[in-house]
Amino acid sequence: MRKKAIANNEISVLLVGNNPIELGLIYEKISDLKGKINRIETAFSLEDTIKKINLMHPNCLLLDDNLGLNPLKAIINNVNALSKEVISITLLKSHNKQEVTSGVQEYIMKEGMDGTRIYYALRNALKFKKTQQFFRIKYYSGKRSVKRLFI
């Protein structure tokens, strides 16, 4: 029998933002789900984020859009360039503007947000990222085998 794609204890979250009060509120909402989420850490800058990724190896990154457009893009590009393991990125949005379009698997609006919505968004983003990685691997391996036919 095959194991579920994402078990409850597989999810570890890194919260990234620049407002400690707001991150604290989100941390409390997520910590209510201790049975479903393995580990929760916080980071406040790009350097801190990369350091915590290397130390704790999270598979979910929860980004606050209050960081600003350039820091968000820098974090997203650096995390996607790591490619050591699957790290899904979920963006916490305070308004419904489309600023960051690539590299993010899921969006959550801050108003009306609760712990279970965050959990389902993280789980869906992780499934999506794992599916993306699977198809990327299959695409490049298939591309190599087709090249071998013609060489």
Side-chain angles (χ1 to χ4, degrees):
M1 173 136 301
R2 207 178 131 104
K3 206 170 117 176
K4 271 188 171 182
I6 299 171
N8 288 340
N9 59 359
E10 274 187 41
I11 297 179
S12 60
V13 180
L14 179 61
L15 289 168
V16 181
N18 60 357
N19 187 346
I21 295 170
E22 200 167 320
L23 284 183
L25 295 172
I26 296 166
Y27 186 91
E28 287 176 11
K29 290 177 182 181
I30 295 174
S31 64
D32 290 341
L33 304 167
K34 276 292 188 188
K36 296 180 179 180
I37 294 178
N38 187 22
R39 189 171 178 190
I40 308 165
E41 291 287 332
T42 57
F44 296 98
S45 67
L46 173 62
E47 295 80 23
D48 194 25
T49 302
I50 300 300
K51 186 175 84 175
K52 296 236 176 138
I53 286 173
N54 289 328
L55 288 175
M56 76 175 267
H57 304 289
N59 52 10
C60 295
L61 198 67
L62 198 55
L63 290 175
D64 188 2
D65 72 341
N66 288 335
L67 282 168
L69 187 58
N70 290 333
L72 274 177
K73 286 183 178 181
I75 290 171
I76 291 168
N77 291 336
N78 281 311
V79 168
N80 286 331
L82 289 175
S83 73
K84 293 190 293 187
E85 64 263 347
V86 174
I87 301 175
S88 68
I89 300 174
T90 304
L91 186 64
L92 292 167
K93 296 183 75 167
S94 52
H95 46 79
N96 200 12
K97 284 198 307 191
Q98 191 79 18
E99 294 173 341
V100 179
T101 56
S102 65
V104 177
Q105 284 74 43
E106 185 73 65
Y107 299 94
I108 304 174
M109 293 300 290
K110 287 181 186 175
E111 64 181 55
M113 175 180 58
D114 63 347
T116 48
R117 284 187 183 172
I118 295 172
Y119 170 70
Y120 286 122
L122 292 173
R123 195 180 70 179
N124 290 339
L126 192 55
K127 283 181 185 178
F128 182 72
K129 184 70 175 189
K130 285 184 177 184
T131 304
Q132 264 184 333
Q133 186 182 35
F134 172 78
F135 283 123
R136 186 177 298 120
I137 290 168
K138 290 298 180 185
Y139 171 75
Y140 286 115
S141 64
K143 194 174 172 181
R144 272 186 255 127
S145 63
V146 168
K147 280 184 181 178
R148 281 188 223 131
L149 289 173
F150 294 109
I151 294 176

